[in-house]
Amino acid sequence: MGENPLNAGYEAMTQLDPLLRWLPAVLPQPDEQARQQALARWDASLKPRGSLGRLETLVAHLAAVQGRVPPACEKPLVLVMAGDHGVVAEGVSAYPQEVTRLMVPRFLKGGAAISVLARRIAARLRVVDMGVRGELPSLPGLYNRKIAAGTRNFRHHPAMTREQAVQALHTGFEVFLQESRAEEVHLFVPGDMGIGNTTAAAAVACALLNVEPERMVGRGAGLDDAGLQRKRAVVREALEKHRPDPQDPLDVLHKVGGFEIAGLAGAMLAAASRRVPIVLDGFIVTAAALVAVRLRPDLRPLLLAGHRSAEPGHALMLQALELEPILTLDMRLGEGSGAALAVSLLQHGCALFREMATIDQVLGQG
């Protein structure tokens, strides 16, 4: 595939920016011995060799990331980061901005799609207010980490300051660590909520991957043709105006990013530092993964792509990350929903791995 653009500029950026000294110096890498042990256990199971297809390699990858055989899947953490975006003023969304504030409580009260799916996979669900406009009610499971009441309109101004970008990254990092210290986390499902965040995610991805907006910007939550053209024009204008440095993810975040995107990237870095496999959701979460991998290229082996969304640019992001999606269902909901469905499949795979008899056990019974 040639040199991946996500690897460029990493050493220079980390050495020159003291704001990122809290990042782990080295991230744990997959344990190849555990992978081979898991694959050998599959081969010994009561089935034709390789007959469970990718499910076998996915479970073996979980074993490698966690460094244990069998891998554990029973305790997923769904962490939804929420934030508003000033660029909504440019008519880039089919929904009004107040929907962000109205939706966040529904996640924790049980009425949203991710609420249902989190229950089905026995996941702990937490929501982080990274920058929602307006006040949110105090609810169990809600972190109030508001950096500002939404980003600025990046068509005219940088979305945030560089210091705010670092603050958002560090907030995501710390929230994940707090949750993992409270109770063990086996799988991490990052989710997002924020009207206008597909515009920010597209701008981030365009900047990091050097991709034209026409290839990356999609309809989001349902824009018509005129809205789509307007959205592409806004992203193009912002990139031309601010010229974010693709070798510096902080520059990209502060000029065209979102608080929740930065927070998700920070949480992924924390998960990787704890050997927790990260199951990516759709367009926004994967844009955050691009940021995280640019900050720490050694994060990449700890990622799994839960699904490929209907947004056309999502396939380009997954290609850059060298990830094959577990599911392809043409979803575009966000919230962590597609990743949660993939976790259900992984949990079934882990159960098969643990509970299937081996050929030797059957033969030994005569």
Side-chain angles (χ1 to χ4, degrees):
M1 294 179 62
E3 184 177 354
N4 193 304
L6 291 175
N7 293 330
Y10 163 72
E11 291 295 336
M13 185 274 299
T14 53
Q15 288 175 9
L16 292 175
D17 202 323
L19 296 172
L20 294 173
R21 286 178 180 163
W22 50 269
L23 283 175
V26 178
L27 292 176
Q29 294 299 288
D31 182 336
E32 294 306 318
Q33 184 176 356
R35 188 193 309 276
Q36 294 307 314
Q37 288 176 355
L39 291 172
R41 173 64 173 82
W42 277 127
D43 288 345
S45 296
L46 193 62
K47 61 174 181 60
R49 180 173 293 191
S51 58
L52 288 175
R54 280 190 69 206
L55 198 58
E56 296 184 24
T57 56
L58 286 167
V59 171
H61 186 65
L62 295 181
V65 172
Q66 294 178 350
R68 60 182 170 187
V69 181
C73 297
E74 296 79 26
K75 295 182 178 181
L77 171 65
V78 178
L79 196 58
V80 178
M81 302 260 175
D84 276 310
H85 298 263
V87 74
V88 168
E90 301 299 328
V92 296
S93 175
Y95 291 90
Q97 194 163 64
E98 66 175 339
V99 171
T100 306
R101 179 179 58 81
L102 296 174
M103 277 297 299
V104 167
R106 300 314 316 172
F107 296 142
L108 295 170
K109 292 180 179 179
I114 191 57
S115 314
V116 176
L117 293 171
R119 289 195 296 270
R120 300 298 295 180
I121 62 174
R124 196 181 347 155
L125 173 60
R126 300 290 184 265
V127 181
V128 187
D129 175 6
M130 297 292 296
V132 178
R133 287 187 63 182
E135 294 303 313
L136 295 171
S138 178
L139 292 168
L142 176 63
Y143 284 87
N144 180 7
R145 297 291 189 272
K146 197 189 302 286
I147 294 169
T151 57
R152 301 170 77 188
N153 182 348
F154 63 60
R155 184 184 179 192
H156 305 294
H157 311 280
M160 64 188 84
T161 66
R162 189 178 181 91
E163 290 73 20
Q164 286 176 324
V166 174
Q167 182 184 352
L169 278 165
H170 192 257
T171 296
F173 192 91
E174 285 298 316
V175 168
F176 181 90
L177 290 184
Q178 183 172 336
E179 283 294 321
S180 65
R181 290 175 187 131
E183 184 179 352
E184 187 176 14
V185 177
H186 295 158
L187 298 171
F188 177 39
V189 177
D192 67 275
M193 178 63 213
I195 298 301
N197 62 7
T198 59
T199 305
V204 166
C206 284
L208 290 175
L209 301 181
N210 193 27
V211 171
E212 293 295 311
E214 285 71 22
R215 298 182 63 205
M216 185 62 67
V217 179
R219 297 182 185 273
L223 282 175
D224 58 16
D225 289 346
L228 176 60
Q229 293 306 314
R230 185 166 55 248
K231 184 177 178 181
R232 287 173 174 169
V234 167
V235 170
R236 177 178 293 280
E237 185 176 338
L239 294 173
E240 291 175 350
K241 179 181 179 65
H242 302 303
R243 298 189 178 279
D245 181 356
Q247 297 187 14
D248 183 351
L250 290 183
D251 192 60
V252 174
L253 283 173
H254 110 74
K255 289 177 176 175
V256 295
F259 295 133
E260 81 278 37
I261 294 172
L264 288 166
M268 291 178 202
L269 291 162
S273 74
R274 306 280 285 195
R275 300 195 73 105
V276 177
I278 303 158
V279 186
L280 299 180
D281 193 44
F283 193 74
I284 291 87
V285 166
T286 308
L290 294 177
V291 173
V293 169
R294 174 57 62 79
L295 285 165
R296 297 258 17 152
D298 51 348
L299 173 79
R300 192 196 314 266
L302 285 81
L303 300 174
L304 295 98
H307 75 119
R308 185 175 66 231
S309 83
E311 282 287 290
H314 193 215
L316 297 175
M317 295 187 199
L318 294 179
Q319 182 180 11
L321 290 166
E322 301 173 10
L323 295 175
E324 182 180 356
I326 297 171
L327 302 171
T328 303
L329 300 173
D330 292 332
M331 295 177 67
R332 53 183 177 86
L333 175 60
E335 304 177 7
S337 55
L341 287 170
V343 166
S344 177
L345 188 65
L346 294 173
Q347 288 177 330
H348 281 86
C350 288
L352 287 167
F353 185 87
R354 291 192 311 269
E355 298 173 25
M356 284 183 70
T358 65
I359 295 173
D360 286 346
Q361 287 173 334
V362 173
L363 293 177
Q365 294 174 0

